[in-house]
Amino acid sequence: MSLQRSQHRRPGLLRPYGGPVRELIPLFPLGTPLFPGIVLPLQIFEPRYRRLMRDLLAHPEHGDRRFFGVVAIRQGWEVERVAPAEALYDIGCTARVQAVRPQADGGFRIVTVGGERFRLHDVVVAEDPPYLQAEVEWLAEEEAAEEAAGDTDGLIVPGTADTAPPCDDGLDEVVASVARGSLDVLTRGVRHLFTRYVAEVSVLGSGDPDDEPGEPMLDAETTVLLDAVSDDPAALSYLVASAALLTTEDRQALLAESATRRRLAMESRLLRRELTLLQELGAVPVPLQQFATPMTVN
């Protein structure tokens, strides 16, 4: 998809050429994607983003407008030196403001939580407001369709293919039951791999030569987080995507996947790859502090 830079666009809901409704929202580019349900604390100090915060705080505290879009910056690109849309990935996530602490210098410390995914179609650059805005399409309908399609991956659903047996009313629940069961297996597998991965990173990050490999041991915080998402495969997938030491490209690919089953399957492959690298190299690829930062779920 080609993204174009716009100099001015009137805010509000847009329906280009009879297509899906798009909305103009404030945009906050960051170096890594944000995922639904993940807590993101920020310190706001640039003048344009101070203005963004003042604009958001003008909305009712208990309304639904105190949010902005977070989109990851492509590696090696500088937003200020090129057309912004070319420097940004096209799938992002809203950051909903949960807490605000004004600072004496006019800045803000805020806590946000990842909300809805969106597809970025255009970036608006204007003098007022001074921050970027994005013309976006919400992905809720796409998510629902992809979740349903993902549930039947690898299954022959009666009545949907030339080689499939005729559909029987009683088979619908059978197919659904098989789909649920296979998703449970996949979820448990990813949780186990992530547990091993966290333990491996922790051991390597400690630098203690006396640590012996064995049964994975988790710290209390990670255990609490995993317990919090134990009954929610989508939340688990977003926790793994945000916490694992993956490249921006890998994380962005996970954010762009609308089906939980496929996202978990991708994470299973990525975690196996990362575990192999950790065991062969015997080193953590980035400072351990970066590993702990995003590991918070709402």
Side-chain angles (χ1 to χ4, degrees), residues 63-126:
D64 63 353
R65 303 305 303 174
R66 288 193 177 185
F67 71 88
F68 51 85
V70 170
V71 178
I73 303 169
R74 294 183 184 275
Q75 188 173 4
W77 289 71
E78 296 185 39
V79 177
E80 302 302 329
R81 297 191 178 184
V82 298
E86 296 178 12
L88 302 173
Y89 286 98
D90 65 340
I91 302 296
C93 179
T94 59
R96 294 198 168 271
V97 178
Q98 301 295 306
V100 179
R101 180 180 295 177
Q103 303 297 293
D105 62 0
F108 299 88
R109 289 184 181 274
I110 67 173
V111 176
T112 70
V113 176
E116 299 78 24
R117 294 164 62 252
F118 60 82
R119 178 172 288 108
L120 186 151
H121 285 275
D122 200 1
V123 175
V124 177
V125 182

Side-chain angles (χ1 to χ4, degrees), residues 159-178:
T160 61
D162 293 338
T163 57
C167 184
D168 182 277
D169 291 341
L171 290 179
D172 288 344
E173 180 54 36
V174 173
V175 171
S177 177
V178 171

Side-chain angles (χ1 to χ4, degrees), residues 198-222:
V198 172
E200 190 78 25
V201 170
S202 297
V203 169
L204 292 174
S206 71
D208 187 347
D210 295 329
D211 284 336
E212 295 291 336
E215 190 67 21
M217 297 295 292
L218 291 183
D219 60 273
E221 179 185 5
T222 305

Side-chain angles (χ1 to χ4, degrees), residues 122-166:
D122 200 1
V123 175
V124 177
V125 182
E127 293 183 3
D128 188 22
Y131 48 82
L132 298 177
Q133 297 182 91
E135 181 184 316
V136 305
E137 170 194 351
W138 303 112
L139 297 181
E141 291 186 7
E142 177 180 308
E143 288 173 354
E146 289 298 311
E147 291 284 16
D151 281 345
T152 58
D153 281 356
L155 299 178
I156 299 178
V157 181
T160 61
D162 293 338
T163 57

Side-chain angles (χ1 to χ4, degrees), residues 182-197 233 236-238 240-241 244 246 250 254 257 259-277:
S182 62
L183 179 59
D184 288 343
V185 171
L186 180 58
T187 301
R188 288 196 299 271
V190 169
R191 181 189 172 104
H192 175 69
L193 286 169
F194 185 61
T195 299
R196 289 177 52 202
Y197 174 80
L236 172 66
S237 73
Y238 289 133
V240 172
L246 302 173
D250 285 337
L254 291 169
E257 177 53 69
T260 299
R261 183 187 300 272
R262 293 169 184 163
R263 191 181 312 111
L264 287 168
M266 190 185 308
E267 287 171 344
S268 179
R269 295 191 295 271
L270 289 171
L271 287 171
R272 292 177 190 279
R273 181 195 73 186
E274 293 301 306
L275 277 167
T276 299
L277 290 174

